[in-house]
Amino acid sequence: MATITDPIRQRTGPSPEALAQHYARIRALSEALAAPLSDADATAQSMPDASPAKWHLAHVSWFFETFVLRDHLPGYRLFDDRWPYLFNSYYEAEGPRHARPQRGLLTRPSLDEVLAYRAAVDAAMLDAMPMLAERCGELIELGLNHEQQHQELLLTDLKHLFACNPLGPAVWPAAPTLRSCADEPTPVRWREGPSGLVEIGDRGEGFAFDNERPVHKVHLPPFALADRLVTNGDWLRFIAEGGYATAGLWLSDGWAWVQREGVASPLHWRRADRGGWEQFSLSGWQPLDIAAPVAHISFYEADAFASWAGARLPTEQEWEAVARVQDPAGGVQLDAAGPVAPQVEALGEESPPLFGNVWQWTGSAYRPYPRFRAAPGAVGEYNGKFMSGQFVLKGGSCATPRGHVRASYRNFFYPQQRWQFTGLRLAKDL
Amino acid sequence: MATITDPIRQRTGPSPEALAQHYARIRALSEALAAPLSDADATAQSMPDASPAKWHLAHVSWFFETFVLRDHLPGYRLFDDRWPYLFNSYYEAEGPRHARPQRGLLTRPSLDEVLAYRAAVDAAMLDAMPMLAERCGELIELGLNHEQQHQELLLTDLKHLFACNPLGPAVWPAAPTLRSCADEPTPVRWREGPSGLVEIGDRGEGFAFDNERPVHKVHLPPFALADRLVTNGDWLRFIAEGGYATAGLWLSDGWAWVQREGVASPLHWRRADRGGWEQFSLSGWQPLDIAAPVAHISFYEADAFASWAGARLPTEQEWEAVARVQDPAGGVQLDAAGPVAPQVEALGEESPPLFGNVWQWTGSAYRPYPRFRAAPGAVGEYNGKFMSGQFVLKGGSCATPRGHVRASYRNFFYPQQRWQFTGLRLAKDL
Amino acid sequence: MATITDPIRQRTGPSPEALAQHYARIRALSEALAAPLSDADATAQSMPDASPAKWHLAHVSWFFETFVLRDHLPGYRLFDDRWPYLFNSYYEAEGPRHARPQRGLLTRPSLDEVLAYRAAVDAAMLDAMPMLAERCGELIELGLNHEQQHQELLLTDLKHLFACNPLGPAVWPAAPTLRSCADEPTPVRWREGPSGLVEIGDRGEGFAFDNERPVHKVHLPPFALADRLVTNGDWLRFIAEGGYATAGLWLSDGWAWVQREGVASPLHWRRADRGGWEQFSLSGWQPLDIAAPVAHISFYEADAFASWAGARLPTEQEWEAVARVQDPAGGVQLDAAGPVAPQVEALGEESPPLFGNVWQWTGSAYRPYPRFRAAPGAVGEYNGKFMSGQFVLKGGSCATPRGHVRASYRNFFYPQQRWQFTGLRLAKDL
Amino acid sequence: MATITDPIRQRTGPSPEALAQHYARIRALSEALAAPLSDADATAQSMPDASPAKWHLAHVSWFFETFVLRDHLPGYRLFDDRWPYLFNSYYEAEGPRHARPQRGLLTRPSLDEVLAYRAAVDAAMLDAMPMLAERCGELIELGLNHEQQHQELLLTDLKHLFACNPLGPAVWPAAPTLRSCADEPTPVRWREGPSGLVEIGDRGEGFAFDNERPVHKVHLPPFALADRLVTNGDWLRFIAEGGYATAGLWLSDGWAWVQREGVASPLHWRRADRGGWEQFSLSGWQPLDIAAPVAHISFYEADAFASWAGARLPTEQEWEAVARVQDPAGGVQLDAAGPVAPQVEALGEESPPLFGNVWQWTGSAYRPYPRFRAAPGAVGEYNGKFMSGQFVLKGGSCATPRGHVRASYRNFFYPQQRWQFTGLRLAKDL
Ligand SMILES: [Fe+3]
Ligand SMILES: [Fe+3]
Ligand SMILES: [Fe+3]
Ligand SMILES: [Fe+3]
């Protein structure tokens, strides 16, 4: 047991009943997200980075079945012996597995069979919850947080898939939105953050991933964060002023990426037939809302924009130091299945929350915290082995299940990836 | 009109009623082939060479809708304006189209919508058949032959897709087969073919593609064809004697292909857990039938095998000269939806038919016949533009709709392609 | 011995003295071609298809050392045991070898060392010539023809290398040329060729490669060849009329190549700063001579041009049937080291010779002649294993050593290759 | 002027005479390093990451010619107008340039011409030194440090080139070395480093690159560094215990790299014919010295080794905090042209110096220091634009010119690169 609970600190967990309710609610959201999908919609994979919706639904169940039921429920029999090979994502310790870029070829098992798998795992889990909650409550919590991460991926993967379809289908009808009528981007107001020695990392007051630990001190020079996210309107100016064609604004790798891929706008943008721009959403193609936060930009684009704006990206520590005092459940986050999209920030006297809307690229490479140790065993592969080549993002997005994210939360992606709801908030030295 | 009928010679066609019956029977077979498929099965694409079943079903209908209904039925309105972009295969003259390797991302339209499209096209076609049969009977015949080609592709593409699934699903349950009990491959008997000046190409007695024309003379030196196809048993000996590891047997391009891809057996073969080999079929994984004709080999493999056997591939003209006197509707060909597979040949006194079972690689590069001219317009792209880099195959296979193939029929694939039912028959000089 | 002499028919060879003179003259030309080169010039390799000049010089010597001296001169000791690994080109039977794309990394041995190698091989060859001429005269003849082939490659590889250098260096100063002043391309005159049954292939009256044999009959329908080569001026019209942008003119593979590589002119062309075109030559960049034959075109380009011109490529048999009565040593061919380039054809009453100037793409895939058999052993790899995927070219070029080519000679390249002096002559059906 | 001197802080520089002497000495070393090379040796490029020796010699001269002579010497005329295109490395602000992977095709200008270029630049520089030393002394210092970096690259690029040659040539004869006779690797002794708040970065007491500035505080938890480098003997144990085959030791990107490239040992290692290992050196292939520091490992290998050893990589700050009190000119570094190689460390009571022998991978991603600002203009591209995707290395190597490196020096390479003399020193938490 020690080997498993290691990565998820010892705390007093919720009661079995509370855990069961929590479990049921999170599991239900996954199915609600997949409800509008046909068997084919749930099966296709639009690129190696993405996974089919059906695969997400099965994989998160495999996680519970493997690390909870198989490992901790005596006498449990696998739903299907052949499925772990299909639904293991990347756990080397769990043996060989189906090649990631071929997930879209798994037309069998069908969506219905996967839903039956989910029902069977849920039945076993809930049935055994009194015992399980005690023996491996934190592992269950890990599994639920894992499922929430896949809920976000399910949405962004689906958006990517539908964007590849010339018919541009909608998953859900568009929500009525207040279209903004601002002519000019609102000027940025700079908010000074805490400097000097600050504490960073999870303090152990609730669930956290191993990569957020241990808490440790860092020394921050004086800095300020922008009180608002960069918007589509800001981005249009960057484009208009030749941002994508000015080598001097870009990191060397970023410039090579722009040239190689012919990048000239955020992902999911296209020029509209009668001028202007459109962006693809979970409700199909829509006119670009210039007051909304920009999304679907890569780290390279975020960094180039910051250079163009005479600013820089915040470090993950700066962001966390400021965010620590905020409610992480605030802002635009995922509450229920529907056409989530970044929303215009309300810019009044008070600054809008740092959380939600779009993941914010930081200038921090994703590396382990001092004294970080990955857990032994398969669960130790959860975060630690990805600590090279990626950058940290903070804050959650409109597609992050509310309650999932916190100030110490470290999301990470490669600098060219941009199919998540990724945006940016500027920072500067004081 | 002239521009369209050019490629398909002027003959007296069938009556409108006969044509309508013919049309209905062929169209029904496509749907029967797709009947066991889920929406997801019909949507996935396992490699750029293959297409989704749903795409085949729609594309062949687009062919009728475009070249018959749109072009020849005054007042016809397209089923959906956006679909030609999706279902045009490669006709440059018909404008831009969805990228081939992305066909598997078209989860919409659904299989049901595609079946509705088929029904609508059929209704319009049958409704207008009296007029259409007269105005463009040969174009309809072309469309029906086109659909038959896609029926074969649908089967081989589906086989490839299911072979990529670790669960190895079956499309249909296995047919009861007489498992052969031969210990030793039957020795080849050589049958001399006609030599000297022979006539090659379509004589205009029925439907033929433009690439089979015009009829012309070639001079053949004395030769003989094997009276039987190369079998799986023969192939096991080739493997056992190091065929895949002996550079001297291979064409230079073939040897590079073997090395690059790590090829060591025909496609769809795998070693069984308890020794021996299995082959993937439309009924899932089955023990290798050593007496059955070998299938799923590339031109390179066919050529290397022939070298190893001290023989050679027949030329397309040799094969045709021999086949001309046979009934092209004989042998193992597709009669109805089901788990088609190559069958053991009956080797009695008389030689088995040259037709059916597996397409036979010839040593002939696919190039135009003397005086060949592609038709103007989109239909002219049907065959002519593919006349480089490919090799001719003859005879049809177990997946070729019976009635589709003939002695002058020229199938063609790239030398490394082998997901069709491709095999070989040896030839030698006399 | 039989195994070696098999591919090169038994004839009465030249006297030892004549052979020695022939040997010395051909060997000397190789060195004359390399004389203007620095050690670095002779070492660099501009693409995997090309080889360094130094490598050519050594490889042709390795051929003599291996197949003549080592195999037939008792007691011969290799110049350097480690060099066969470096200078074997593609003979699998001779064991592993240095990877082709890495030939340009062989800065050692130096050019001087390679020249010393040549001198040592020459000394051994000439010393033993009386014995060798008798025992393996035809093998020596093969070696000399082999060296002539590499002389042409040395020139075209060098041209390609220097074209990659932004300084555009010249190997030799430009020869004074009569710049043509024609405004309009001269109209093509069509010359009917022999039809019906004709004999094709080498008749055994002198040296020939195995791929030219055996002589055999083919049946030719009535046809005509253009009396002149396609010129740069013709090509400018093809470009001006959108040839490179008209999908319908191209073979499918060719169109994909044009799109993928962004091809918009022959190789070694560039637009001049003050309008017009320049072409790279062995004397550096020069104004395009519009009356000279076009060179450095691929098979795909040749085929597209022919379609645009309403004509077609000749088959190799048509070309040979016409060329058979001509002197193969006529026309523009290589006589001595210098800045060879295609020359304007003299178009008087009589047609200019079919030979020389540029290799002429035919519409014939490079496949074995009926009853062709490659020799056993390494020498059998000379031609036979390349018989897939390539097309036949006829006639020799300005870089072909005079005396090397003949009517039955079959050169072959892949359809996209164009760094040789490749051009075309149109043909049509009568 | 401000724009140029920005990146290299204002200090009182050396006298014009001292600067001229310094200039002459450094320039002479480059030529001494290239002295054993033929024109071909100096021209070839073995991979896109490497450059030809001749190119290095010219490029560093272009740097002086461009940023000093052209920009600061009124009336200076370029040696050759066409050469900046050839010898600009990556300065976008200086316009387009020859493609990096094609540097090996520049057989012209010759090595002699490049040496003449060097002489001309030197003459102009030394002639104008009194004026230049005043106006742009720090720019000259930058140019000299730049040249020293290329001296190291020249050596490692040359080593890579010669390692690609099956003849395995030596640049210099092997130096007599004390072959160590240790049976067992010496156990590591751990030396505690300074913890708490420490100052990091260049303090402005001499030349430093912009990426070492500004000085700033970081907070370090207690840690220790190994008193010695990891040796070849240590590495043999890692191999023997399956290090390259154990997924769990590797970062995810590293494991993918090992699998994709088939990595099973450091670069420049091979198994000897009669057992044991050999390593390639500037004196050709030599028996592996098991007591010498391991070199030519990637970041991924370093990280996996540290995991296997139960330790970790030091951060760049930890390393610098310890190294700050040492003499950076100590240890095994480059003093003169010759067969440099890592040397066995003398492990007595006192720890050997942290500097020299091999560059030590740190666990720190190469990112800007707080308040870092790249200079405007081309010189600002020197370091800043490379700050993504790479890792920091510290300490210099046997190929680093003595006097070049210092504690705050930040070298950087991509995690898979290993053709430099890259090794590692372990660290651990206390
Ligand atoms: Fe997961
Ligand atoms: Fe089709
Ligand atoms: Fe050769
Ligand atoms: Fe440089």
Side-chain angles (χ1 to χ4, degrees), chain B residues 92 197 217 219 221-222 247 250-253 255 299-300 363 365 367 370-371 384-388 391 414 429-430, chain C residues 92 197 217 219 221-222 247 250-253 255 299-300 363 365 367 370-371 384-388 391 414 429-430:
Chain B
E92 300 277 351
L197 270 186
K217 292 203 185 81
H219 185 267
W250 295 79
L251 287 161
S252 178
D253 287 355
W255 183 242
F299 170 83
Y300 297 132
R367 291 289 298 151
R371 300 174 179 276
K385 73 180 181 184
F386 299 109
M387 290 173 171
S388 72
F391 282 85
Y414 287 97
D429 301 318
L430 290 183
Chain C
E92 300 278 351
L197 269 187
K217 291 205 186 80
H219 186 266
W250 296 79
L251 287 161
S252 178
D253 287 355
W255 183 242
F299 170 83
Y300 296 132
R367 290 289 299 152
R371 299 171 179 279
K385 73 182 182 184
F386 299 108
M387 289 172 172
S388 71
F391 282 85
Y414 287 97
D429 302 318
L430 290 183

Side-chain angles (χ1 to χ4, degrees), chain D residues 232 266-267 269 279 293-297 342 358 418 420-423:
Chain D
N232 289 325
L267 183 68
W269 286 34
Q279 58 187 340
V294 70
H296 300 300
I297 55 168
V358 291
R418 54 183 195 157
Q420 300 302 301
F421 288 99
T422 47

Side-chain angles (χ1 to χ4, degrees), chain D residues 55-56 59-60 62-63 89-91 146 149-150 153 382:
Chain D
W55 189 91
H56 286 300
H59 162 69
V60 292
W62 165 84
F63 191 96
S89 50
Y90 55 67
Y91 296 85
H146 174 249
Q149 294 180 311
H150 280 277
L153 292 169
Y382 200 98

Side-chain angles (χ1 to χ4, degrees), chain D residues 67 81 147 196 216 234 245 257 274 288 300 341 375 399:
Chain D
F67 298 122
D81 284 351
E147 181 141 0
H216 61 284
D234 297 328
W257 171 77
R274 77 220 109 187
L288 186 72
Y300 296 132

Side-chain angles (χ1 to χ4, degrees), chain D residues 384-427:
Chain D
K385 73 182 182 184
F386 299 108
M387 290 173 171
S388 72
Q390 311 203 38
F391 282 85
V392 173
L393 302 103
K394 303 291 283 187
S397 81
C398 56
T400 307
R402 193 179 305 281
H404 177 68
V405 86
R406 66 207 142 261
S408 60
Y409 195 101
R410 309 174 79 197
N411 200 356
F412 49 90
F413 281 96
Y414 288 97
Q416 77 280 5
Q417 289 177 319
R418 54 183 195 157
W419 89 109
Q420 300 302 301
F421 288 99
T422 47
L424 85 153
R425 175 185 307 279
L426 296 174

Side-chain angles (χ1 to χ4, degrees), chain A residues 59 89 146 150:
Chain A
H59 162 70
S89 51
H146 173 249
H150 280 277

